[in-house]
Amino acid sequence: MMGRSKTIIEKIWEKHVVYQEQEKPDLLYIDLHLIHEVTSPQAFEGLRINKRKVRRPDLTFATMDHNVPTRNRDVIKDEISRKQMETLKENCQENNIPLADMFHPDQGIVHVIGPELGLTQPGKTIVCGDSHTSTHGAFGALAFGIGTSEVEHVLATQTIWQERPKTLNVHVEGDLGAGVTAKDLILAIIAKFGVRFGTGYVMEYTGEAIRNLSMEGRMTVCNMSIEAGARAGLISPDETTVEFLRGRVHVRKDEAFTTIAQDWLALATDDGAVYDKTVTIRGDEVEPQVTWGTNPGMCVPVSGTTPNLNDVEYKQDVERALHYMGLNENQPISSIHIDHVFIGSCTNSRLSDLRRAAEIVKGKHVHANVRAIVVPGSFSIKRQAEQEGLDKIFQDAGFEWREAGCSMCLAMNDDIVPPEGRCASTSNRNFEGRQGNGARTHLVSPEMAAAAAIEGHFVDVRNYAGVAL
Amino acid sequence: MKAIKNHTGLVYPLNRTNIDTDQIIPKQFLKRIERTGFGQFLFYHWRFDDEGNKRQDFSLNKERYQHASILVAGENFGCGSSREHAPWALLDYGFRVIIAPSFADIFYNNALKNGIILIKIEEEQVKQWLEEADIGNLSLSIDLEDQKIFEGNKEYHFQIPAYHKEKLLNGWDDIALTLLHEEKIEIYENSNN
């Protein structure tokens, strides 16, 4: 007899329980632990103090991304940044952990290179000391961000204590229109349901628009699950997933691949499986989005305006956000002029993102008031983009073309938006000071950022002259 | 982590929702490789201007909150980045208890692992305390064992999962507890290779 219908979340969870006790969290096994320079040093220090070892260096993989300069890598001016990166190198050497350091051909943003190398696979439990670990959920993996104490715990035990999450189905009916991207979809979802509707849940994205997304688009969607409060968001694997992974470095080959691909497809949520909660949004009604405030839920379509203060719940917070952003209520989005553009981050720095942005800027020039940079998500993406001549298109249009890293998404290196500078950014957070103290961030898709770079203000890419979408 | 059974202290009210960990501890202070010394950077850009002078319009800088050890805030406290530097900064600054209508998931775990008592209370009550602590001095006593908050003669009950309570009360080291199950981890690994 067939067992009851299950969601992919339940299937992965049950397969990874090492130990469970009534009314306590489950002890879950972790298949892949990704680490980077910022949230790991104190964890290794903790191991040393307690004379503990890394249990499974073979299931651990490290890179440098948050702090790395995106130009002149040989000279890191910031002593503390340099020390942090050297510490990671020493920790990896001491514990036999593979490391893609700043000069390694595989280096890149941790959530970009995991999938690129095929380390990320359906059905795996994946953790990293970074909240955007939810990105890997695009492959049907259960992937979530953890704190440094948990990093230490996973290094020492390869497990983590987790409360069984509630399940949330985010269902997208209908397909996205031309010129509307995965980024617009996830921003519209957060704008509609709020920045905490996912708290306590693992989300699964379902529906026609999701199935039609490329793996890059799915990563963009899952990446921002945390901005809706959900530690993890995932998508059931299908042929798109299998094809993306075929032939990747860490993926099995030939017959072994055929076998594992069948296992992956079997993970998909069963027909009739029940979620704790379901929300629905119409994909064909989503327009290109622009955030106007200081959290990703403060977001409207490009055709819209900033809110009217009489229409909002938490008026004081909205007032504060508008003040910080230097905007008025009821202000049309298209009237907002920008002076910085950042195309990059674990949300939107993949080859297809760069191709689409390049298509828009080709043969045009960045507005005189705008400084624009493109930061590929990994060395590998940078190499491929250069083979296709994208670097040339961007540079001819007046963009700076950089080395891979997190860069201006969080401005830990010297890629910083100055105080009161205004940035159209393809990243994931528009928090106060995120891109630099006093900096004002508007989250958008790569296409919208590219068009804003040319025009100097926000325009609807769907009506943007000369581009076939 | 230090065990904590009860705590009495002055309330600092921070009447904002969705306070993210980028505000609690801005990124330029995440480069240190120690767990200590982050308190000076807590809410840095709210507390200090570009020249490093205290902002007079930010309430935490007021004299009467200098010894506050209980933070009361709005919905979704600690959202955003997973940086554990956020609870390190709060603790190092002197906060032992945080009361809010809701907390972000990652922050919740991180704070508990550092012995901070997190109390979820319905929004109406939080609003009342935000107001009282804004107008005058508000002192609260928390009894973790009995899951009670005392305000003068009034008492309020709060919920906390039993296993979280137990860990806080005992100051247990998670890894040591997990290693008691090491054999089960080995069995799991052997059967999944």
Side-chain angles (χ1 to χ4, degrees), chain A residues 272-320:
Chain A
V274 179
Y275 299 86
D276 293 304
K277 188 163 101 179
T278 296
V279 297
T280 303
I281 186 168
R282 287 213 61 95
D284 47 11
E285 289 174 5
V286 173
E287 294 177 48
Q289 304 283 310
V290 182
T291 65
W292 54 264
T294 52
N295 72 49
M298 293 173 161
C299 179
V300 289
V302 61
S303 60
T305 66
T306 59
N308 184 315
L309 283 171
N310 294 323
D311 297 343
V312 296
E313 207 186 346
Y314 303 105
K315 184 175 171 186
Q316 198 186 323
D317 290 334
V318 172
E319 256 179 328
R320 271 183 47 80

Side-chain angles (χ1 to χ4, degrees), chain A residues 29 149 153 163 317 433-434, chain B residues 17 27 35 84 163 178 189:
Chain A
Y29 199 78
S149 294
H153 190 281
E163 281 167 64
D317 290 334
R434 175 81 178 178
Chain B
T17 62
K27 75 295 198 122
R35 283 176 200 252
E84 196 163 320
Y163 50 89
T178 305
E189 284 177 332

Side-chain angles (χ1 to χ4, degrees), chain B residues 55-143:
Chain B
R55 292 181 192 272
Q56 293 312 314
D57 59 350
F58 186 58
S59 55
L60 188 57
N61 286 333
K62 287 184 184 167
E63 186 55 40
R64 67 192 184 93
Y65 296 126
Q66 288 317 294
H67 300 288
S69 58
I70 300 174
L71 175 64
V72 178
E75 288 271 13
N76 202 25
F77 186 86
C79 59
S81 156
S82 62
R83 56 189 73 167
E84 196 163 320
H85 311 68
W88 293 338
L90 287 158
L91 195 63
D92 190 49
Y93 184 88
F95 288 113
R96 296 305 310 265
V97 178
I98 307 173
I99 301 176
S102 62
F103 296 93
D105 289 341
I106 303 178
F107 177 81
Y108 189 85
N109 279 331
N110 285 345
L112 278 169
K113 289 196 188 312
N114 288 280
I116 297 176
I117 303 181
L118 296 182
I119 301 178
K120 278 189 226 180
I121 289 273
E122 61 277 19
E123 197 173 12
E124 277 313 297
Q125 183 57 56
V126 167
K127 279 185 177 161
Q128 194 186 316
W129 283 333
L130 283 170
E131 210 166 293
E132 283 176 37
D134 182 43
I135 299 163
N137 284 344
L138 173 66
S139 177
L140 296 176
S141 289
I142 284 89
D143 181 337

Side-chain angles (χ1 to χ4, degrees), chain A residues 2-8 10-11 14 268-275:
Chain A
M2 292 280 286
R4 75 173 176 87
S5 300
K6 285 178 185 168
T7 64
I8 179 172
E10 294 166 278
K11 292 184 199 180
E14 285 163 12
T269 290
D270 300 328
D271 288 339
V274 179
Y275 299 86

Side-chain angles (χ1 to χ4, degrees), chain A residues 176-177 179-191 220-221 281 286-290 299-300 302 348 356 443-448 461:
Chain A
L176 301 176
V180 180
T181 66
K183 181 64 162 289
D184 301 305
L185 174 60
I186 187 62
L187 283 171
I189 289 170
I190 300 167
T220 300
V221 169
I281 186 168
V286 173
E287 294 177 48
Q289 304 283 310
V290 182
C299 179
V300 289
V302 61
N348 280 126
R356 297 194 318 268
L443 303 177
V444 287
S445 70
E447 289 89 328
M448 287 288 289
V461 281

Side-chain angles (χ1 to χ4, degrees), chain A residues 134-140 182 205 207-225 233-242 347 350:
Chain A
S134 58
T135 312
H136 307 264
F139 292 82
Y205 300 93
E208 187 188 343
I210 299 295
R211 291 269 76 94
N212 290 341
L213 287 176
S214 66
M215 285 317 296
E216 284 92 340
R218 293 180 190 186
M219 285 188 255
T220 300
V221 169
C222 291
N223 172 272
M224 291 190 70
S225 302
L234 49 66
I235 294 170
S236 284
D238 58 12
E239 286 303 330
T240 307
T241 324
V242 171
T347 315
R350 298 180 179 85

